[in-house]
Amino acid sequence: MKRRYLLGAASASWLSGLRGGVAQASFPTQPIRFVVPFTPGGSNDVVARLIGEQLSPRWGQSFVVENRPGASGNIGAEAVARATPDGHTWLLGANQIFTTNPHLVRAAFDPLRDFSFVAMVARVPVVLVVHAALGARDVRELVALARQRPGSLSYPSTGVGSSQHLGVARLVGENATHVPYRGANALMPDLMAGRLQIYTGAVNSLLPHIRSGSVRALASMGTDRVPALPDVPTIGEAGFPDAQTQIWLSIAVPAAVPRPIVDQIHTNVAEVMQTPSTRLKLDEQGIEVAIQGPTELEATVRAEYARDGALIAKLGIRD
C-alpha cells in the first residue's frame, strides 16, 4: 500500500521565521518527502503530518507525507536509506525499526550505518494491563502467576519483536505464550473477551477499557507515571526496572546528508514540536513531545539496539 498526502506551502516569507543556522541559505530548495513506514492514522502518521503543517509555511516548501507500510516498517525505511542524501527525504520511524528489526528481519540496509539520526520528537506512553478476570493485582503477582502456570497465559502484540512483544517478554520470558496480530485493532476483541490475558499497549487506546473495568492497569512501562492514571506505578516502582518499555518516534535521513542540514532540521523541528499548539494537539492524541538531538538520539538507538538484541537472542525469538 502506498498513499501520498500533500501539505500546502505558503509564500516565501519563511526566511523571517527561520533560525536554522549555516544551511539555511541553501536548504530546503524543493519539497520535503516525508516517509511514514506505517499505515495512515497511527502515531507516526499524526506526528509527521503535524510537523509538515508547521514547517511548510516557515520553509516555503511543501511536505509530501508518503505512507509506505510493510515488513515491520522496513520497506519505508529502506526507501529513505537509499534516497539522494540532500536532506529532502525524511523518515518518521518508531524505535523498533532501528533497535529490534535488525535482529529479526533481513533488510537491505543497516540502521546504524545507513542513517543519520536527526531528532527524537515524541513518545507514546505504554501501559501494562491484564484482563479483569485475571487474579493478578500487581506486577509481582502477574510474574508469579506466569511462573506457576507456564504456558497457560497468552499475550498479543502487533508483530514479532514489537514493543508490545518485548515489553511482556521482559517480564515473563517464556512462561506466557506470544500471539502476534496484524495490528492493535485486530487484537482488542480477543483481549476484551479474555482469550488473551496480558498486554502492553499505547495508553490512549487502552484508557477507555481501563476506565470501563474490562482490563486492569498494573504499571506504566516508562520512567514516569501516566498523567491520566496517576495511581498506577511505573514498572520501576513496581520492582521491575529492567522491563521498562517505550515507543518513541524520530526523524532520520540518509547517512550522507551534510551535518549542517541535519542540524538545521533538528533545530527547526524542535522549535515547532515545543509550541503550545503542537503540544495540545499531541496531548489530545495521547502522544508526548520528547526531544533529543542527533548525538543523544544516536546514543539512545545504539543502547536500545544492544539491549533488544540481547533479549531476542536470550529468548530465541524468530520472526
Side-chain angles (χ1 to χ4, degrees):
M1 173 183 177
K2 184 175 178 181
R3 173 176 167 180
R4 294 189 176 194
Y5 180 79
L6 183 63
L7 299 171
S11 67
S13 61
W14 65 280
L15 279 173
S16 62
L18 183 60
R19 299 191 298 276
V22 177
Q24 68 182 29
S26 58
F27 178 84
T29 60
Q30 62 190 57
I32 303 298
R33 179 190 177 203
F34 207 168
V35 177
V36 175
F38 301 104
T39 54
S43 300
N44 295 64
D45 190 63
V46 168
V47 172
R49 294 179 192 279
L50 185 56
I51 291 171
E53 290 168 358
Q54 296 286 327
L55 279 184
S56 181
R58 298 184 71 179
W59 281 8
Q61 293 290 346
S62 300
F63 277 69
V64 180
V65 177
E66 181 179 322
N67 295 93
R68 297 196 64 174
S72 299
N74 277 9
I75 290 177
E78 181 180 346
V80 175
R82 300 291 173 246
T84 302
D86 57 9
H88 293 95
T89 302
W90 303 3
L91 175 71
L92 199 291
N95 45 325
Q96 73 178 65
I97 293 173
F98 310 116
T99 66
T100 61
N101 285 7
H103 304 290
L104 294 167
V105 182
R106 188 182 300 275
F109 65 89
D110 182 331
L112 302 181
R113 182 193 65 210
D114 295 332
F115 288 104
S116 286
F117 298 104
V118 178
M120 182 187 291
V121 292
R123 290 193 185 98
V124 182
V126 176
V127 63
L128 169 69
V129 300
V130 295
H131 188 265
L134 196 67
R137 295 287 168 176
D138 57 36
V139 181
R140 291 188 183 279
E141 288 185 4
L142 173 63
V143 172
L145 188 62
R147 288 173 178 166
Q148 292 164 10
R149 297 160 47 187
S152 65
L153 303 180
S154 299
Y155 64 98
S157 80
T158 56
V160 174
S162 64
S163 60
Q164 296 97 336
H165 180 189
L166 297 188
V168 178
R170 289 188 181 101
L171 282 172
V172 300
E174 298 175 305
N175 292 320
T177 302
H178 172 234
V179 184
Y181 285 72
R182 289 186 176 273
N185 290 337
L187 65 85
M188 280 298 177
D190 286 340
L191 179 64
M192 295 303 107
R195 290 184 287 272
L196 303 162
Q197 295 80 37
I198 315 168
Y199 182 55
T200 57
V203 68
N204 55 333
S205 63
L206 286 170
L207 198 55
H209 305 296
I210 294 169
R211 288 174 171 164
S212 73
S214 299
V215 296
R216 182 184 308 115
L218 299 188
S220 160
M221 298 299 285
T223 56
D224 302 309
R225 294 194 178 197
V226 175
L229 300 168
D231 296 329
V232 175
T234 67
I235 194 68
E237 291 171 335
F240 298 87
D242 291 343
Q244 186 182 114
T245 302
Q246 60 181 351
I247 300 173
W248 48 259
L249 312 178
S250 65
I251 295 173
V253 295
V257 171
R259 182 58 186 248
I261 291 178
V262 169
D263 289 339
Q264 178 183 328
I265 297 170
H266 164 251
T267 297
N268 294 157
V269 167
E271 288 172 354
V272 301
M273 287 298 295
Q274 296 180 90
T275 62
S277 62
T278 299
R279 287 183 177 275
L280 179 60
K281 289 177 181 178
L282 292 180
D283 282 346
E284 292 170 351
Q285 300 285 332
I287 300 170
E288 299 177 348
V289 173
I291 303 297
Q292 287 186 1
T295 302
E296 186 179 4
L297 175 56
E298 181 174 351
T300 296
V301 171
R302 290 184 179 276
E304 291 195 18
Y305 176 94
R307 178 193 184 209
D308 291 349
L311 178 64
I312 288 167
K314 177 182 176 181
L315 298 181
I317 296 171
R318 295 289 183 271
D319 194 359

